[in-house]
């Protein structure tokens, strides 16, 4: 302390130690905070449960030897998380998981959707419109999904500015996968190989085209817009239910849409790879 | 700066920093903004540095008492050396 530089060194070192202690204390007091949150999640539609080839790699062969169950569902979410924000919160990472149990695996968990909330003013989500978007896909390793009950868990990571990451969640139970597979549509799925002879396939394709053309004509006469299925895009308006009973949406009429609606890309639930299963 | 001054400087630094940390926590907690905490503590650190580091007169209240050099005591006052006879100044 006999030189000015000595004193500068001493003061600044002590300041950094005191700053560390200050933030440690601040984080510690913040860990007791538990916000008053409102979460509600519901599965509003269950489009299909099918056995489909599950390919791990993008460049897999067209004929996959493995099949796995794949369910397509839509859910809705209402969230009020503004109370979780404190002076120590940087952001919240909100995500929705589907969990179920099969005979093969005790826990199957898939993240359906996630969202980052950086501001308490943006922490209220209502009418997220998640059930109107493309269906969310749930996979199984194998074929054990029929009739299984599953949970929808809404979880959020609270990321502090300084401190330990915390996770809180709320689980909603009472949902079930369908007991049987969705009946396959009569028309060929896009990219699906068929064992039937070429002539029969051509006849069926022609019949489907004629039927859909007739429907298009009917729609045009009624003055409605061209249905989306003609463009090969997933038809949202087929789901006319009020969202309360998803078993009704399992009824499939003959002219099923050609495309599965996911645009050719799906996130594989457990490997996290993106692959194209029509190729 | 003398020894007592150095001790005072260290004590002052410690107390001021801890006080500014407490003030920073309270201020930030009241207004729920971490920026207030950081700014308050930064200002406290700057104030501490300004008050402790330079050589202020209050750090020099206990100067060391040096003995008068023996050589100066024994010499006869001569005409050519004007400095003999003056008291040696002490600087610490």
């Amino acid at each position: 302390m006999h030189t000015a530089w000595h004193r500068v060194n001493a003061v600044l070192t002590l300041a950094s130690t005191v700053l560390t202690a200050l933030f440690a204390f601040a984080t510690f007091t913040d860990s007791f905070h538990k916000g008053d949150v409102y979460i509600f999640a519901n599965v509003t539609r269950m489009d299909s449960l099918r056995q489909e080839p599950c390919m791990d790699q993008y460049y897999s062969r067209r004929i996959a030897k493995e099949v796995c169950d794949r369910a397509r569902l839509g859910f809705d979410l209402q969230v009020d998380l503004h109370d979780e924000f404190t002076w120590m919160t940087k952001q919240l990472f909100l995500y929705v998981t589907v969990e179920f149990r099969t005979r093969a695996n005790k826990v199957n968990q898939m993240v359906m959707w996630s969202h980052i909330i950086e501001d308490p003013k943006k922490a209220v989500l209502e009418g997220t419109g998640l059930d109107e978007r493309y269906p969310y896909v749930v996979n199984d390793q194998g074929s054990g999904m029929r009739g299984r009950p599953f949970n929808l868990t809404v979880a959020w990571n609270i990321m502090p500015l300084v401190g330990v990451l915390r996770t809180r969640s709320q689980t909603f139970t009472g949902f079930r996968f369908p007991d049987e597979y969705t009946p396959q549509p009569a028309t060929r799925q896009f990219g699906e190989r068929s064992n039937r002879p070429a002539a029969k396939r051509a006849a069926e394709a022609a019949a489907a085209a004629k039927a859909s053309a007739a429907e298009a004509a009917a729609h045009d006469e009624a003055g409605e817009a061209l249905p989306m299925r003609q463009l090969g895009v997933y038809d949202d308006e087929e789901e006319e239910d009020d969202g309360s009973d998803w078993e009704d949406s399992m009824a499939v009429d003959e002219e099923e849409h050609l495309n599965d609606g996911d645009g050719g890309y799906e996130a594989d639930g457990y490997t996290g790879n993106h692959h194209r299963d029509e190729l | 700066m003398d020894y007592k001054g150095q001790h005072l400087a260290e004590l002052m630094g410690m107390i001021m920093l801890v006080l500014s940390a407490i003030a920073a926590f309270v201020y930030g907690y009241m207004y729920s903004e971490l920026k207030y905490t950081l700014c308050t503590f930064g200002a406290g650190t700057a104030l501490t540095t300004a008050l402790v580091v330079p050589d202020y007169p209050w750090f020099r209240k206990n100067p060391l008492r040096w003995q008068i050099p023996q050589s100066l005591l024994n010499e006869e006052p001569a005409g050519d050396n004007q400095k003999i006879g003056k008291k040696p100044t002490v600087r610490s």
Side-chain angles (χ1 to χ4, degrees):
Chain A
M1 306 295 269
H2 49 86
T3 324
W5 284 117
H6 265 104
R7 292 192 286 275
V8 167
N9 183 27
V11 166
L12 291 182
T13 311
L14 188 65
S16 61
T17 312
V18 169
L19 187 70
T20 311
L22 169 67
F23 274 120
F25 183 66
T27 269
F28 176 69
T29 57
D30 189 54
S31 64
F32 298 117
H33 176 86
K34 204 154 178 138
D36 185 24
V37 302
Y38 171 72
I39 314 273
F40 180 71
N42 191 26
V43 175
T44 50
R45 64 172 211 240
M46 175 76 63
D47 293 338
S48 61
L49 174 67
R50 293 205 183 101
Q51 244 188 353
E52 292 174 8
C54 50
M55 297 190 196
D56 285 343
Q57 291 163 19
Y58 183 85
Y59 299 108
S60 277
R61 305 172 300 279
R62 189 185 287 244
I63 306 170
K65 289 182 185 160
E66 286 180 24
V67 287
C68 64
D69 280 359
R70 208 162 268 158
R72 284 172 172 77
L73 48 87
F75 64 94
D76 194 24
L77 192 64
Q78 285 170 32
V79 149
D80 181 10
L81 278 173
H82 76 277
D83 213 22
E84 285 282 15
F85 276 87
T86 63
W87 65 319
M88 267 295 195
T89 310
K90 181 179 189 301
Q91 65 192 17
L92 300 184
F93 182 75
L94 179 69
Y95 58 98
V96 172
T97 342
V98 164
E99 292 164 13
F100 57 97
R101 185 200 168 122
T102 57
R103 227 179 298 131
N105 300 321
K106 201 165 163 192
V107 171
N108 296 272
Q109 240 179 5
M110 252 144 280
V111 175
M112 294 282 106
W113 172 86
S114 62
H115 182 57
I116 294 180
I117 305 172
E118 279 167 333
D119 206 47
K121 298 187 202 80
K122 293 180 195 151
V124 181
L125 304 174
E126 272 167 24
T128 41
L130 292 172
D131 52 352
E132 294 155 23
R133 297 183 192 173
Y134 48 85
Y136 293 91
V137 181
V138 182
N139 283 352
D140 182 28
Q141 287 176 329
S143 312
M145 248 161 80
R146 279 168 291 177
R148 291 275 170 192
F150 67 93
N151 292 348
L152 208 61
T153 302
V154 183
W156 57 99
N157 292 125
I158 305 166
M159 297 178 188
L161 285 161
V162 180
V164 178
L165 185 91
R166 290 179 198 281
T167 311
R168 300 205 172 117
S169 63
Q170 268 193 27
T171 307
F172 298 89
T173 56
F175 311 108
R176 261 173 86 91
F177 289 119
D179 289 326
E180 292 300 327
Y181 290 127
T182 314
Q184 295 289 343
T187 51
R188 184 162 68 95
Q189 293 238 356
F190 179 71
E192 188 186 34
R193 277 169 77 97
S194 169
N195 292 330
R196 290 165 290 177
K200 242 188 167 183
R201 262 187 281 149
E204 273 179 3
K210 219 174 18 173
S212 53
E215 240 194 66
H219 273 284
D220 282 344
E221 280 172 20
E224 291 175 24
L226 205 62
M228 293 290 268
R229 64 179 69 160
Q230 283 247 308
L231 308 172
V233 178
Y234 184 64
D235 187 2
D236 272 352
E237 63 191 45
E238 189 176 11
E239 257 63 56
E240 293 288 305
D241 58 333
D242 50 55
S244 58
D245 197 7
W246 49 256
E247 279 119 350
D248 287 350
S249 67
M250 296 279 293
V252 169
D253 46 14
E254 285 298 298
E255 287 116 32
E256 183 76 357
H257 42 266
L258 292 180
N259 216 343
D260 251 350
D262 50 11
Y265 279 96
E266 267 173 61
D268 190 307
Y270 75 94
T271 59
N273 292 333
H274 288 261
H275 56 266
R276 201 188 270 274
D277 69 346
E278 279 95 356
L279 287 182
Chain B
M1 203 181 269
D2 47 44
Y3 293 129
K4 287 242 182 331
Q6 290 170 30
H7 178 66
L8 178 66
E10 185 171 344
L11 211 61
M12 265 178 74
M14 273 201 270
I15 292 176
M16 283 174 71
L17 281 174
V18 171
L19 281 181
S20 67
I22 294 173
F25 176 79
V26 166
Y27 197 51
Y29 193 77
M30 270 176 22
Y31 292 100
S32 277
E33 282 274 355
L34 204 70
K35 296 176 212 165
Y36 293 174
T37 300
L38 287 173
C39 288
T40 314
F41 189 70
T45 307
L47 184 69
T48 310
T49 314
L51 282 182
V52 163
V53 168
D55 200 5
Y56 287 111
W58 57 74
F59 291 134
R60 286 195 246 123
K61 287 293 169 57
N62 296 64
L64 288 172
R65 288 177 10 147
W66 296 99
Q67 296 220 350
I68 303 172
Q70 298 294 319
S71 54
L72 286 176
L73 279 178
N74 291 338
E75 260 187 32
E76 303 276 319
D80 47 332
N81 198 342
Q82 306 268 333
K83 286 199 180 146
I84 294 176
K86 283 192 185 167
K87 262 197 173 161
T89 52
V90 177
R91 278 178 54 194
S92 59

